[in-house]
Amino acid sequence: MTSAAEQRAPAGDPAAGSGQPSATNGARRAVPPVPAVWPGTPTPLGARFRVGPDGVAGTNFALWAAGAEAVRVSLFDEQGRETRVPLTELTHEIWHGFVPGVMPGQRYGYRVEGRWDPWTGARWNPAKLLLDPYARAVDGEFGLPPEVYGHVRDWPDQSVADTVRDERDSAPYVPKGVVVHDDDDWSDDRRPKTPWADSVIYELHVRGFTRLHPGIPEELRGTYAGLAHPAAIEHLVKLGVTAVELLPVHQFAHEDHLLRRGLKNYWGYNSIGYFAPHAAYAASGTTGQQVGEFKRMVRALHAAGIEVILDVVYNHTAEAGELGPTLSLKGIDNRGYYRLQDDARRYADYTGCGNTLHVVRPQVLRLITDSLRYWVTEMGVDGFRFDLAAALARSMHDVDMLSPFLAVIAQDPVLRRVKLIAEPWDIGSGGYQVGAFPPLWTEWNDRYRNAVRDFWRHALPDVREMGYRLSGSSDLYAWGGRRPYASVNFVTAHDGFTLRDLVSYGTKHNEANGENNRDGTDDNRSWNCGTEGETGDERVRALRRRQLRNLLTTLLLSTGVPMLVAGDELGRTQRGNNNAYCQDNEISWLDWSLLEEPGWRALFDLTSRLIALRHRHPVLRRRAFFSGRAQTADGLRDLAWFTPRGAEMTEGDWYAPAATLGMYLSGRDIPGRDERGAPVVDDSFLAVLHAGDRPAPFVLPGPPWAERYEVVVDSSAEDQERAPGTVHRAGAEITVPARAVLLLRVA
């Protein structure tokens, strides 16, 4: 009787391309001759086309695989026939060789030999074709049939299935890397280089943003070329955003549990190729054309003054845990790339996705930083938002703000000059790190999100939290030289309710995901305005639109960097789905017809007007925290807080239940100077936020704060064109409408 480790699945075609008979039909397959292999060089890693010795063109292949016993690069012709070329040179744990005649467009993969000993973390299996971690383009899409698993996926005893090696050839079932020739120097590109304090970020999905846009040719919808189309860029310019933050565009794969239900990973947080633009978003082709298409998209956005920030997933890969597929790193050097538990069969999982990259190891750190530099220097992007960044900041176990990853970023001459945004948490112990990342980094501020949501559903016990969030979250970021723009303020993100759903649903409705509504958070801090879901009741609909105006106005008047989610300015709905990661359909795509409805068009107009107001007034884009202290003899301060009585708030007022808050921003006391060294001076403003369900009196502060006030924004009004212009004298008692924001300019 054999042990589980000695058992093997029936061989499919492990010898394809080797000149041996196929185990499936016994027939000998015609195989092209194996080309000569020259030594080549161990750097750079990946497949790099170049001119070699004696002027001979070819491709240098280099792969880090420290524990491997042999490495072969598999070359595939147009008919899918495979030629295996051994890489016999080994330098500093890198297998390398130069193959003459291999030109751009060549499809390839690796087969790596070594021990099969899952108990020690060794999972080499040469029957599995592996994607080059440095592949710059990927041709094909990942499915997950049994053949792509290094172990026997369907072994009867699942408790030991991961220890039984599968001998079937995976090459027919997996995408291939593509050799790409990079010769673009970006000399004609002009990066916007928008200062952090002036930035307004717009989170969007390349496919979902353009899939239904009527002004984009149908063949370009859902692609990089579609996002580069003038019709798409026109919307961004009219809105006034300064940067798009693209949901993951690294090559990604779909999870097995989704494919079994006929769904796909739509968001893309399941990366497998850190150098390759996701091929499914290309209109021009997938044998290298996607690289040029992505670059043209970046150039078009830059020409419009819009930066490109990538949402990147370096914390885990699509290979999941011990029962996951073998697609790339797991088969190259499992122990070298992933964090393993003391029981090395098992993976340390700080991400909830089955595995965690071992960023402490030099080769993994090199993979990540090489990828980041590539996207900046050769693909033209302007920054990154790091998914579950706390997982990257872990040393051996704990989150460490002196970790190798953060240290390398801080000193890198390329990366330290681009925008760096942390999602400052993971799911591991001690993983919540909001406010803890070092200078150079900004952070998604979920405490801002929670406070603003709770204020407008009238669920805050007092206004202390709201005061901090409106004024830049100094309690979180006023240390170590950090600035107010360290806080990326958001009310919604891709993960969770859309803004419209936030005011339309009290609970999640994720039935379409096929997980019995168990997925997605239950902590939505939403309020449905009295009716669950869509309704024909115009009073409820009007209240919801007002709440949307309140939320957007609050976001765009707050100190820090605002982030909008694509479609929130149009009233986009996901029908109550707060976890639409697998909904590649109308649930997730932007419905551009909403712009034809007067109510939603008015919401877009208000949003663009608020962004324009923010751009015009530096007092709304402060580069330093407020002091709250009087700067001159008249007692005027850069920031002051007022009760509805028109009196400055006392310590007791901060702790008392309240639905109304007045915030005074002085344009006379803005720290810093302009580019010519002159003081920065602006208008002063009073913002009054009232979350109560009835109108409330508010006394406008008198001198020295102001003599008169002019209404600039009144969120209670559907038609903002008629809202501004009313002038009130200082000291007057005005009536603030129920659930409304008033922004008044000091006259």
Side-chain angles (χ1 to χ4, degrees):
M1 184 173 181
T2 58
S3 68
E6 293 171 331
Q7 298 179 66
R8 299 289 185 265
D13 192 9
S18 66
Q20 300 299 317
S22 165
T24 55
N25 55 24
R28 184 178 295 274
R29 183 181 292 179
V31 179
V34 176
V37 184
W38 299 347
T41 61
T43 58
L45 291 169
R48 300 300 293 268
F49 172 77
R50 62 181 176 83
V51 176
D54 300 325
V56 176
T59 297
N60 192 84
F61 295 92
L63 178 72
W64 182 91
E69 296 172 0
V71 173
R72 291 178 174 82
V73 60
S74 293
L75 307 175
F76 294 86
D77 65 15
E78 293 181 359
Q79 288 72 43
R81 293 178 300 179
E82 177 181 357
T83 301
R84 299 184 186 179
V85 182
L87 301 181
T88 57
E89 301 295 324
L90 182 60
T91 305
H92 302 311
E93 302 179 329
I94 297 171
W95 300 79
H96 57 91
F98 178 83
V99 185
V102 172
M103 306 298 284
Q106 173 69 57
R107 299 185 306 143
Y108 73 100
Y110 289 111
R111 295 186 185 272
V112 183
E113 297 182 16
R115 292 185 306 113
W116 177 263
D117 186 11
W119 290 270
T120 63
R123 293 183 177 274
W124 283 283
N125 186 343
K128 307 306 166 184
L129 186 75
L130 306 173
L131 183 67
D132 181 1
Y134 281 73
R136 302 198 170 194
V138 176
D139 181 44
E141 186 169 313
F142 284 98
L144 294 179
E147 290 84 355
V148 306
Y149 290 75
H151 66 281
V152 181
R153 187 188 71 179
D154 301 321
W155 191 258
D157 184 354
Q158 284 290 294
S159 67
V160 296
D162 70 290
T163 69
V164 185
R165 191 166 79 171
D166 189 298
E167 305 286 359
R168 289 172 291 187
D169 183 19
S170 68
Y173 309 100
V174 294
K176 281 72 177 175
V178 181
V179 176
V180 175
H181 182 38
D182 294 318
D183 59 355
D184 197 330
D185 63 5
W186 289 88
S187 60
D188 60 340
D189 181 64
R190 295 293 180 268
R191 294 178 184 262
K193 297 182 180 179
T194 307
W196 257 126
D198 300 339
S199 297
V200 178
I201 297 173
Y202 189 74
E203 186 192 46
L204 68 82
H205 190 286
V206 169
R207 177 168 168 80
F209 184 73
T210 61
R211 185 64 184 83
L212 298 177
H213 198 301
I216 298 174
E218 189 168 353
E219 66 274 13
L220 301 183
R221 296 176 189 174
T223 69
Y224 306 118
L227 183 54
H229 191 274
I233 292 178
E234 179 185 19
H235 180 81
L236 301 174
V237 171
K238 283 184 177 179
L239 190 57
V241 298
T242 67
V244 291
E245 182 177 304
L246 306 182
L247 267 67
V249 296
H250 288 166
Q251 185 70 39
F252 62 86
H254 308 292
E255 293 90 333
D256 180 67
H257 70 93
L258 292 177
L259 295 173
R260 290 172 184 263
R261 297 201 300 270
L263 300 170
K264 292 184 177 181
N265 188 317
Y266 170 70
W267 286 349
Y269 291 91
N270 207 35
S271 299
I272 195 62
Y274 290 132
F275 290 76
H278 189 60
Y281 299 159
S284 54
T286 61
T287 55
Q289 298 92 337
Q290 61 265 55
V291 177
E293 185 176 329
F294 185 94
K295 291 180 179 181
R296 290 189 292 274
M297 176 197 73
V298 172
R299 278 192 172 87
L301 289 164
H302 282 178
I306 298 170
E307 295 184 305
V308 178
I309 298 171
L310 302 188
D311 197 334
V312 290
V313 188
Y314 294 113
N315 55 77
H316 76 281
T317 75
E319 293 184 299
E322 61 270 14
L323 296 177
T326 297
L327 307 174
S328 182
L329 305 181
K330 185 181 289 186
I332 294 171
D333 196 317
N334 185 57
R335 296 177 299 186
Y337 280 108
Y338 292 116
R339 290 180 181 266
L340 304 179
Q341 299 182 24
D342 292 337
D343 173 5
R345 273 180 65 190
R346 316 297 181 192
Y347 292 75
D349 184 8
Y350 297 110
T351 66
C353 300
N355 65 53
T356 307
L357 282 177
H358 205 332
V359 182
V360 175
R361 295 186 179 274
Q363 65 275 7
V364 181
L365 192 57
R366 179 181 180 182
L367 171 66
I368 295 172
T369 53
D370 281 354
S371 168
L372 292 169
R373 283 188 291 267
Y374 170 74
W375 286 96
V376 173
T377 60
E378 298 192 42
M379 300 296 273
V381 306
D382 305 285
F384 305 94
R385 179 265 186 188
F386 292 81
D387 181 65
L388 299 182
L392 298 172
R394 290 183 180 271
S395 290
M396 295 312 295
H397 298 287
D398 296 334
V399 178
D400 179 6
M401 291 305 159
L402 298 175
S403 66
F405 172 74
L406 294 178
V408 166
I409 295 293
Q411 61 77 45
D412 189 283
V414 172
L415 301 180
R416 69 189 183 200
R417 63 181 173 84
V418 301
K419 288 184 165 64
L420 303 171
I421 306 171
E423 183 183 35
W425 51 77
D426 63 21
I427 69 166
S429 175
Y432 186 77
Q433 295 289 324
V434 171
F437 275 71
L440 289 184
W441 288 82
T442 65
E443 301 174 16
W444 272 24
N445 187 351
D446 67 332
R447 289 184 60 178
Y448 178 94
R449 175 197 65 195
N450 295 346
V452 172
R453 289 185 179 192
D454 283 346
F455 179 83
W456 285 112
R457 66 189 183 110
H458 204 1
L460 285 177
D462 52 54
V463 291
R464 285 177 295 158
E465 185 81 4
M466 195 63 175
Y468 274 123
R469 304 308 148 230
L470 289 171
S471 59
S473 296
S474 60
D475 58 328
L476 299 175
Y477 301 111
W479 63 272
R482 304 189 81 185
R483 298 297 183 95
Y485 46 77
S487 177
V488 175
N489 299 330
F490 66 104
V491 179
T492 59
H494 66 275
D495 188 1
F497 281 147
T498 66
L499 203 64
R500 177 173 169 181
D501 288 355
L502 189 67
V503 301
S504 303
Y505 293 89
T507 59
K508 65 188 180 185
H509 296 269
N510 297 356
E511 291 80 8
N513 296 355
E515 300 178 39
N516 296 317
N517 209 35
R518 294 190 302 267
D519 63 303
T521 184
D522 293 314
D523 183 20
N524 295 294
R525 301 172 189 252
S526 61
W527 178 51
N528 63 16
C529 297
T531 301
E532 187 71 1
E534 295 301 312
T535 177
D537 188 329
E538 185 50 41
R539 291 176 300 175
V540 174
R541 290 159 63 96
L543 175 57
R544 289 175 176 173
R545 291 193 296 271
R546 179 180 293 203
Q547 287 290 81
L548 292 180
R549 294 193 294 272
N550 290 334
L551 291 163
L552 285 168
T553 302
T554 303
L555 174 65
L556 291 166
L557 295 182
S558 297
T559 300
V561 178
M563 183 185 80
L564 299 164
V565 177
D568 277 353
E569 77 281 11
L570 309 178
R572 183 176 76 90
T573 177
Q574 291 179 171
R575 306 170 197 168
N577 192 321
N578 76 349
N579 189 35
Y581 77 105
C582 56
Q583 298 299 322
D584 187 7
N585 50 47
E586 288 84 355
I587 290 176
S588 296
W589 303 339
L590 265 68
D591 179 4
W592 293 94
S593 69
L594 292 168
L595 276 175
E596 301 171 8
E597 300 181 25
W600 300 125
R601 180 72 200 193
L603 186 68
F604 170 81
D605 292 339
L606 173 64
T607 307
S608 60
R609 183 166 172 260
L610 287 166
I611 293 174
L613 186 74
R614 186 179 182 90
H615 289 325
R616 286 198 304 272
H617 292 286
V619 72
L620 301 176
R621 300 179 278 107
R622 286 180 60 100
R623 288 163 166 77
F625 287 105
F626 296 97
S627 71
R629 295 187 296 271
Q631 304 293 325
T632 56
D634 61 9
L636 194 68
R637 290 187 292 281
D638 58 359
L639 174 68
W641 303 95
F642 291 90
T643 70
R645 303 182 304 276
E648 287 192 70
M649 292 180 67
T650 65
E651 184 174 358
D653 292 326
W654 285 110
Y655 287 84
T660 309
L661 182 63
M663 178 178 67
Y664 183 95
L665 305 173
S666 172
R668 193 183 70 180
D669 301 300
I670 301 174
R673 296 181 294 172
D674 65 18
E675 293 178 350
R676 295 179 175 83
V680 177
V681 180
D682 192 14
D683 293 329
S684 297
F685 290 91
L686 175 69
V688 181
L689 294 82
H690 175 55
D693 59 2
R694 296 183 180 180
F698 192 95
V699 177
L700 298 175
W705 307 103
E707 295 182 359
R708 297 185 309 280
Y709 296 89
E710 177 190 5
V711 177
V712 178
V713 175
D714 178 357
S715 70
S716 70
E718 288 268 10
D719 184 358
Q720 289 296 309
E721 292 300 322
R722 293 184 296 176
T726 305
V727 177
H728 301 281
R729 63 176 176 81
E733 180 179 287
I734 64 171
T735 299
V736 183
R739 296 192 177 93
V741 181
L742 295 183
L743 181 67
L744 303 101
R745 180 188 291 113
V746 172

